[in-house]
């Protein structure tokens, strides 16, 4: 762990010395594309499932927070590994970066095995506690239990992704996501429906959608392994591996706050879904549709936030303190431009976008609620971008306790209490949910910027 080498590759030199705008865009654009591909897959997948029934469609959204609760811990390890590896690369310590990569991979595999088994076991009870009943509970349980098998592959891929992301190899992440998502889109109809273009298919319904997703995650791991082995300067070799308690301690000291923040969000979203479900399946479907549409336009800003972890990490590791501040400022300016465009498109093309999911406006109440939510989502897109940038900045510095606090406060101190107050003391109905989302995101971003202004001197001096 004490060996230091003078390793610097072209990518590292570019990140630590290149034009700031070009660095941000070159690393962010592939992530934007990757996120868009995943989002478009989610939309296509939703369109397939929506052909079965509104209840089937709502089930796919209902189980997500519970599934994400487990994914959050894998993401925590990934965030910690990305931060530490990027800082080591920025300081020219490639051998130390390799050690973190090996530990992240082993921890991810072990966690994936445990979490897959645990999620499968608790699925029926947890979903019932969330408020699912009758056939909706049955469908949600089956969908979640099948997806539980994919957790192992999620976590393994997160380890490969952290290795690539720490080096700024975002194009590789994009190509992997594109291939996996395309395979899922192709597999979905053959698993879901009885026939596709006259070709006999499996006709497994909602279960088929889940199996297709798991198979695409297996492909993610295979492609991640191939890219890291062929192109990465950080090698993964588990032969003769043994745990180093100092490395494990560093990884968990950063990953635990990040995981708690994400898992706390997941629990909050689980409870949030319970609140939304209490308004009826129509409101839950409107919420899911609005989110999937708005997510398309949030991905540019979100990609910048994701890229900031490695960009900030490498510059911080290289001792470029003033450059680190300028990178954060520039990132937020770019996010503002993207958000203005996104909000404008959402408002202007609201009806055509909703028509993708709601045929001929047949369900008037569903259309009304989804349409109203889109107006709120257009404003929320600004806050989502800024929130992503704040997270990326603090994660790059290794300040995951701050991101944990922001993530937990957004839901537990703001959104859920506001929803409960509005539900109890007003007649706003589902509108109260949208108002709570807007206020919680806006206040959290304001507080995040305040924390940045107060902390930047001590952290970057």
């Amino acid at each position: 762990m004490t060996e230091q080498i003078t390793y610097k590759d072209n990518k590292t030199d570019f990140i630590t010395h290149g034009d700031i705008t070009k660095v941000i865009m070159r690393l962010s654009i592939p992530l934007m594309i990757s996120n868009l591909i995943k989002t478009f897959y989610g939309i296509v997948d939703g369109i397939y499932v929506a052909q079965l029934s509104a209840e089937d469609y709502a089930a796919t959204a209902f189980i997500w927070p519970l599934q994400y609760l487990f994914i959050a811990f894998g993401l925590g390890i990934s965030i910690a590994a990305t931060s530490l590896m990027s800082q080591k690369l920025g300081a020219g310590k490639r051998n130390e970066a390799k050690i973190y990569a090996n530990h992240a991979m082993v921890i991810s595999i072990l966690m994936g095995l445990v979490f897959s088994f645990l999620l499968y076991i608790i699925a029926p009870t947890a979903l019932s506690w969330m408020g699912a009943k009758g056939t909706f509970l049955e469908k949600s349980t089956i969908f979640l239990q099948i997806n539980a098998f994919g957790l192992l592959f999620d976590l393994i891929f997160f380890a490969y992704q952290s290795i690539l992301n720490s080096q700024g190899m975002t194009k590789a992440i994009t190509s992997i996501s594109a291939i996996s998502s395309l395979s899922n889109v192709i597999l979905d109809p053959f698993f879901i429906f009885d026939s596709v273009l006259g070709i006999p298919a499996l006709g497994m319904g909602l279960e088929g959608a889940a199996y297709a997703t798991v198979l695409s995650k297996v492909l993610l791991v295979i492609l991640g392994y191939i890219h890291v082995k062929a192109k990465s300067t950080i090698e993964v070799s588990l032969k003769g591996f043994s745990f180093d308690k100092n490395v494990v301690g560093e990884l968990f000291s950063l990953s635990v706050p990040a995981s708690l923040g994400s898992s706390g969000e997941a629990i909050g979203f689980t409870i949030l879904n319970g609140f939304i479900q209490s308004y009826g399946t129509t409101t839950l479907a409107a919420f899911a549709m609005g989110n999937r549409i708005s997510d398309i336009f949030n991905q540019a800003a979100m990609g910048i936030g994701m890229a900031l972890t490695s960009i900030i990490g490498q510059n911080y590791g290289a001792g470029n303190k003033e450059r680190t501040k300028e990178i954060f400022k520039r990132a937020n300016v770019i996010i503002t431009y993207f958000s203005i465009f996104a909000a404008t498109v959402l408002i202007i093309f609201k009806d055509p976008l909703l028509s993708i999911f709601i045929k001929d406006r047949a369900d008037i109440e569903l259309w009304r609620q989804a349409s109203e939510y889109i107006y709120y989502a257009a404003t929320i897109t600004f806050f989502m971008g800024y929130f992503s940038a704040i997270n990326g900045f603090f994660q790059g510095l290794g300040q995951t306790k701050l991101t944990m606090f922001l993530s937990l406060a957004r839901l537990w101190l703001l959104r859920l209490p506001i929803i409960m107050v509005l539900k109890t003391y007003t007649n706003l109905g589902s509108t109260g949910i949208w108002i709570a989302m807007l206020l919680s995101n806006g206040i959290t971003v304001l507080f995040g910027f305040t924390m940045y202004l107060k902390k930047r001197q001590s952290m970057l001096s």
Side-chain angles (χ1 to χ4, degrees):
M1 284 292 294
T2 59
E3 180 184 2
Q4 177 168 338
I5 60 176
T6 58
Y7 167 77
K8 289 277 184 180
D9 63 7
N10 290 334
K11 179 69 76 174
T12 299
D13 284 336
F14 173 66
I15 291 173
T16 54
H17 296 93
D19 177 82
I20 290 176
T21 300
K22 290 182 179 178
V23 171
I24 292 172
M25 296 308 296
R26 190 172 296 179
L27 269 68
S28 298
I29 288 175
L31 292 174
M32 295 175 193
I33 296 171
S34 175
N35 290 343
L36 279 171
I37 290 169
K38 293 176 183 177
T39 304
F40 277 121
Y41 156 69
I43 290 175
V44 174
D45 185 58
I47 292 172
Y48 286 145
V49 175
Q51 306 307 307
L52 298 173
S53 73
E55 186 176 61
D56 287 88
Y57 181 85
T60 64
F62 188 73
I63 64 99
W64 169 243
L66 183 57
Q67 184 179 353
Y68 185 73
L69 174 62
F70 289 86
I71 289 175
F73 288 96
L75 283 173
I77 292 294
S78 178
I79 290 168
T82 300
S83 177
L84 291 168
M85 286 188 288
S86 62
Q87 288 183 28
K88 296 303 181 184
L89 288 174
K93 302 177 182 178
R94 183 175 58 166
N95 284 350
E96 292 189 20
K98 292 179 182 178
I99 295 172
Y100 286 107
N102 288 336
H103 279 72
M105 181 59 69
V106 172
I107 293 170
S108 295
I109 292 172
L110 294 176
M111 289 174 62
L113 289 169
V114 173
F115 289 170
S116 290
F117 174 76
L118 186 59
L119 181 59
Y120 183 90
I121 295 298
I122 71 168
T125 303
L127 292 172
S128 178
W129 174 80
M130 289 167 59
K133 299 177 181 178
T135 58
F136 185 69
L137 174 60
E138 294 175 10
K139 291 178 179 180
S140 298
T141 299
I142 293 172
F143 191 69
L144 181 57
Q145 286 185 323
I146 296 171
N147 273 287
F149 293 110
L151 261 181
L152 170 63
F153 304 103
D154 277 324
L155 268 62
I156 295 174
F157 176 69
F158 291 157
Y160 283 125
Q161 183 173 263
S162 68
I163 294 169
L164 297 170
N165 198 23
S166 67
Q167 300 168 81
M169 298 177 67
T170 52
K171 290 182 180 178
I173 296 172
T174 299
S175 63
I176 291 170
S177 297
I179 295 171
S180 175
S181 296
L182 180 61
S183 69
N184 205 341
V185 169
I186 294 172
L187 287 174
D188 258 342
F190 286 96
F191 275 77
I192 295 172
F193 304 116
D194 294 322
S195 65
V196 179
L197 300 175
I199 302 173
L202 297 175
M204 300 175 69
L206 189 61
E207 293 182 45
Y211 282 119
T213 298
V214 172
L215 288 175
S216 72
K217 291 178 179 180
V218 175
L219 182 59
L220 270 180
V221 171
I222 295 172
L223 294 173
Y225 169 80
I226 292 172
H227 275 75
V228 168
K229 189 172 182 62
K231 300 179 180 180
S232 173
T233 58
I234 301 177
E235 301 167 5
V236 178
S237 177
L238 302 183
K239 185 177 181 181
F241 173 84
S242 61
F243 281 110
D244 182 319
K245 65 179 182 179
N246 293 323
V247 174
V248 173
E250 280 191 89
L251 282 170
F252 276 102
S253 68
L254 295 187
S255 70
V256 169
S259 296
L260 289 176
S262 296
S263 61
E265 275 192 314
I267 295 172
F269 279 119
T270 300
I271 295 174
L272 175 63
N273 266 10
F275 275 119
I276 297 172
Q277 171 67 15
S278 70
Y279 285 90
T281 303
T282 296
T283 299
L284 182 61
F287 176 71
M289 290 174 183
N291 276 344
R292 284 187 169 172
I293 292 171
S294 62
D295 278 351
I296 298 173
F297 301 96
N298 288 335
Q299 296 314 315
M302 300 286 281
I304 293 173
M306 291 173 64
L308 279 184
T309 299
S310 59
I311 297 172
I312 295 294
Q314 287 205 26
N315 279 276
Y316 183 66
N320 298 334
K321 306 299 176 64
E322 289 301 319
R323 179 178 169 86
T324 301
K325 298 176 188 177
E326 182 58 33
I327 289 169
F328 181 66
K329 293 178 184 177
R330 194 78 55 86
N332 280 289
V333 171
I334 298 171
I335 284 172
T336 299
Y337 286 121
F338 277 122
S339 298
I340 291 172
F341 171 79
T344 303
V345 173
L346 275 173
I347 293 172
I348 293 175
F349 296 100
K350 172 180 63 68
D351 288 357
L353 289 168
L354 286 175
S355 295
I356 297 172
F357 292 96
I358 307 174
K359 294 183 177 180
D360 302 323
R361 305 192 186 187
D363 191 328
I364 297 174
E365 183 59 19
L366 177 59
W367 182 276
R368 185 193 69 78
Q369 292 191 35
S371 181
E372 181 184 61
Y373 178 41
I374 290 293
Y375 284 115
Y376 284 90
T379 303
I380 292 172
T381 190
F382 286 88
F383 300 133
M384 292 301 295
Y386 297 141
F387 183 70
S388 181
I390 292 167
N391 273 344
F393 175 80
F394 286 132
Q395 287 169 359
L397 296 179
Q399 298 286 329
T400 52
K401 289 182 181 179
L402 293 175
T403 62
M404 175 191 71
F405 174 77
L406 289 173
S407 296
L408 293 178
R410 184 170 65 133
L411 275 172
W412 290 98
L413 298 182
L414 294 170
R415 186 172 304 173
L416 292 174
I418 292 172
I419 288 176
M420 286 189 285
V421 168
L422 294 179
K423 183 177 182 180
T424 303
Y425 298 104
T426 74
N427 295 318
L428 289 170
S430 60
T431 303
I433 299 171
W434 322 145
I435 293 174
M437 292 179 65
L438 177 63
L439 291 176
S440 61
N441 281 304
I443 295 171
T444 302
V445 166
L446 180 62
F447 190 72
F449 280 128
T450 303
M451 291 176 68
Y452 164 76
L453 293 173
K454 288 184 176 181
K455 297 283 186 179
R456 66 178 180 178
Q457 294 302 325
S458 60
M459 291 186 295
L460 299 176
S461 59

